Amino acid sequence: MSGSKLAIHGGTPVRSHYLPYGRQVIDEEDIQSVIKVLQSDFLTTGPAIEQFESEIASFTGAKYAVAFTSGTAALHGACYAAGIGAGHEVITTPMTFAASANCILYQGAKPVFADIDPLTYNLDPKRIKDKITEKTKAIIPVHFTGQPVELDEINKIAKEKNLVVIEDAAHALGAKYKNKSIGSIGDMTMFSFHPVKHITTGEGGIITTNNPMYYEKLLQFRSHGITRNPDLMTQNHGPWYYEMQFLGYNYRITDIQAALGISQLKKIDQFIDLRKKYAAMYNEAFQHTNTIQIPYQSSEGDSSWHLYIISLNLEQLRGSRKNVFEALLKENIGVNVHYIPVHLLPYYQELGYPQGICPKAEQLYNRMITLPLFHGMSEQDVYDVIRAVNKVLDYYSK
Ligand SMILES: *Cc1c(COP(=O)(O)O)cnc(C)c1O
């Protein structure tokens, strides 16, 4: 294919139809699982939710799990449970989806962005240390692309400084750090079930924790701050009685969604194996390509591969990231960029976060492209992506 005319210049695209960067796989078993709930007594607050929570807890090895309407709502709940409030600072990475920082703002606290390690793209523990003040209350590291952060180092810093660690593991269901499952290690861990993630409930998210106090707070926060647990109530007027003890939200997931999650979770090992296989195919194809950097993997972690990101060696190219990106789109490859650093989003710029505070993340942003990676891809799809990347980079290579 090399040397052939790019689709952006009127040539024939590598693919005749568009390949997205990620999407769900729903099978007949998933559909039947949802139908069963629709025909049952409970569409919400029913038994499917507890079952889903207990299955996620056992999959991750955590004691407790509390499901929410979204990963973002789950992060909000975790920030509440951690006691984050006005006057606090919370350290997170700029190389993430806005939700990892927005949840800090929801609680009236201040997000503080620490720069990434340019090798792993994960929050750099050394940079975390630089950002700690008397106001720091928590750290929200993100297991970016599915590759675990240096958890031992981060948890050690947190312990010394009495900080809560809330892991954003939206990318990392099924990932392992030093042979331990993500979700079983830290104070609280969030997983997302958005359709592009490892398993889906449509919208949905969950917090896993080993701490019974966080568990109780999360349950209550999810439902208006209301408890029906007699042990927690200050009065008791009778069997109808419930107590609203703080201002919570309605962040309850439905049984319809939980049923889909239960069914999807049965296939998680197979989904992750496919993602790993396709990532290995990309690595193999691109490891000697001098125009791109394949994603470095630390030996401490075992990624569950939510995203496959290449970094362009712009010095070797005649074109920009935008040129390469647009050319790949025209070849019908659904490339993406994960992410625009959060502090550069206009809302955060208005809050006063200047450009230049996280130079490593900003440099990466100018070079990165996400290639399609999901468990519903075929090997042929992977070969198409490889062919398109080679075709476009051959053209733009110096
Ligand atoms: C998807 C995602 C979230 C938010 O999850 P939702 O379920 O979409 O609310 C948070 N952080 C990261 C890194 C994500 O990728």
Side-chain angles (χ1 to χ4, degrees):
M1 262 293 156
S2 67
S4 67
K5 197 173 181 185
L6 298 187
I8 202 167
H9 297 147
T12 310
V14 164
R15 286 177 65 90
S16 57
H17 62 282
Y18 183 76
L19 177 72
Y21 88 88
R23 63 157 288 171
Q24 75 282 3
V25 172
I26 300 291
D27 66 11
E28 191 53 35
E29 183 185 31
D30 296 326
I31 294 166
Q32 290 310 320
S33 177
V34 169
I35 288 174
K36 240 175 88 185
V37 165
L38 289 173
Q39 292 168 333
S40 79
D41 290 339
F42 290 99
L43 299 187
T44 188
T45 67
I49 297 167
E50 275 182 32
Q51 187 189 337
F52 182 49
E53 289 170 337
S54 100
E55 289 188 10
I56 290 285
S58 77
F59 176 74
T60 57
K63 280 209 183 86
Y64 310 101
V66 181
F68 286 81
T69 47
S70 70
T72 305
L75 280 174
H76 186 188
C79 287
Y80 173 82
I84 295 165
H88 290 144
E89 294 176 355
V90 179
I91 298 170
T92 190
T93 172
M95 189 45 72
T96 185
F97 183 56
S100 318
N102 289 352
C103 61
I104 302 164
L105 293 174
Y106 296 159
Q107 282 301 106
K110 182 183 173 193
V112 173
F113 297 102
D115 210 353
I116 58 167
D117 175 335
L119 215 48
T120 62
Y121 310 158
N122 270 329
L123 194 50
D124 184 340
K126 291 191 281 300
R127 302 285 83 81
I128 294 175
K129 274 190 182 158
D130 297 342
K131 298 288 180 186
I132 293 175
T133 71
E134 319 81 79
K135 293 180 181 166
T136 310
K137 178 74 183 168
I139 307 168
I140 305 185
V142 178
H143 303 297
F144 184 65
T145 72
Q147 168 162 236
V149 297
E150 291 174 60
L151 263 183
D152 281 352
E153 196 59 30
I154 292 174
N155 284 332
K156 194 172 135 226
I157 296 168
K159 202 163 179 196
E160 276 168 22
K161 303 284 180 181
N162 200 21
L163 310 175
V164 182
V165 178
I166 300 168
E167 294 165 49
D168 179 335
H171 297 182
L173 185 63
K176 291 192 170 72
Y177 175 75
K178 296 185 176 172
N179 291 318
K180 284 178 281 189
S181 288
I182 293 299
S184 68
I185 306 165
D187 294 321
M188 285 181 269
T189 304
M190 180 280 282
F191 299 98
S192 163
F193 308 119
H194 181 278
V196 298
K197 307 284 164 66
H198 291 84
I199 63 167
T200 190
T201 59
E203 297 281 359
I206 209 162
I207 299 291
T208 62
T209 183
N210 295 321
N211 181 320
M213 257 155 40
Y214 291 148
Y215 174 64
E216 287 296 339
K217 282 191 177 160
L218 290 164
L219 284 177
Q220 209 170 334
F221 185 82
R222 176 176 71 179
S223 205
H224 308 277
I226 287 173
T227 184
R228 290 176 183 275
N229 181 347
D231 299 339
L232 300 177
M233 296 190 312
T234 59
Q235 310 166 39
N236 198 342
H237 302 176
W240 66 87
Y241 187 70
Y242 57 82
E243 246 175 38
M244 180 186 150
Q245 298 176 326
F246 58 83
L247 187 62
Y249 292 74
N250 179 352
Y251 278 163
R252 294 188 305 265
I253 196 168
T254 63
D255 284 63
I256 306 165
Q257 293 165 294
L260 180 55
I262 292 164
S263 175
Q264 287 263 299
L265 187 61
K266 291 183 185 154
K267 293 162 273 234
I268 181 76
D269 291 338
Q270 177 195 329
F271 289 174
I272 292 171
D273 285 349
L274 283 167
R275 286 171 174 273
K276 284 182 173 172
K277 175 174 151 188
Y278 297 155
M281 286 168 72
Y282 284 148
N283 280 340
E284 171 81 19
F286 301 135
Q287 60 185 334
H288 301 302
T289 308
N290 71 336
T291 45
I292 56 185
Q293 205 73 55
I294 61 171
Y296 170 87
Q297 296 296 297
S298 148
S299 59
E300 291 182 339
D302 178 19
S303 177
S304 56
W305 288 101
H306 168 54
L307 298 174
Y308 190 92
I309 291 175
I310 56 171
S311 171
L312 300 176
N313 291 329
L314 293 173
E315 302 73 16
Q316 306 291 333
L317 294 169
R318 293 182 287 119
S320 64
R321 188 263 304 271
K322 190 159 179 249
N323 294 140
V324 173
F325 189 98
E326 287 173 339
L328 284 167
L329 271 186
K330 288 287 187 205
E331 303 294 337
N332 275 324
I333 305 299
V335 283
N336 217 304
V337 172
H338 296 93
Y339 293 92
I340 305 160
V342 177
H343 65 287
L344 301 183
L345 300 172
Y347 182 78
Y348 281 84
Q349 290 278 289
E350 268 179 46
L351 289 179
Y353 294 89
Q355 194 161 349
I357 54 173
C358 294
K360 299 285 193 300
E362 291 171 33
Q363 276 162 29
L364 175 63
Y365 169 60
N366 291 325
R367 296 164 174 260
M368 70 199 315
I369 293 179
T370 304
L371 302 181
L373 179 66
F374 56 101
H375 41 272
M377 284 172 88
S378 66
E379 276 188 39
Q380 188 52 54
D381 292 333
V382 179
Y383 289 128
D384 287 347
V385 177
I386 293 169
R387 214 147 48 92
V389 169
N390 285 335
K391 179 184 174 186
V392 168
L393 288 177
D394 276 354
Y395 177 83
Y396 284 109
S397 177
K398 272 184 187 162

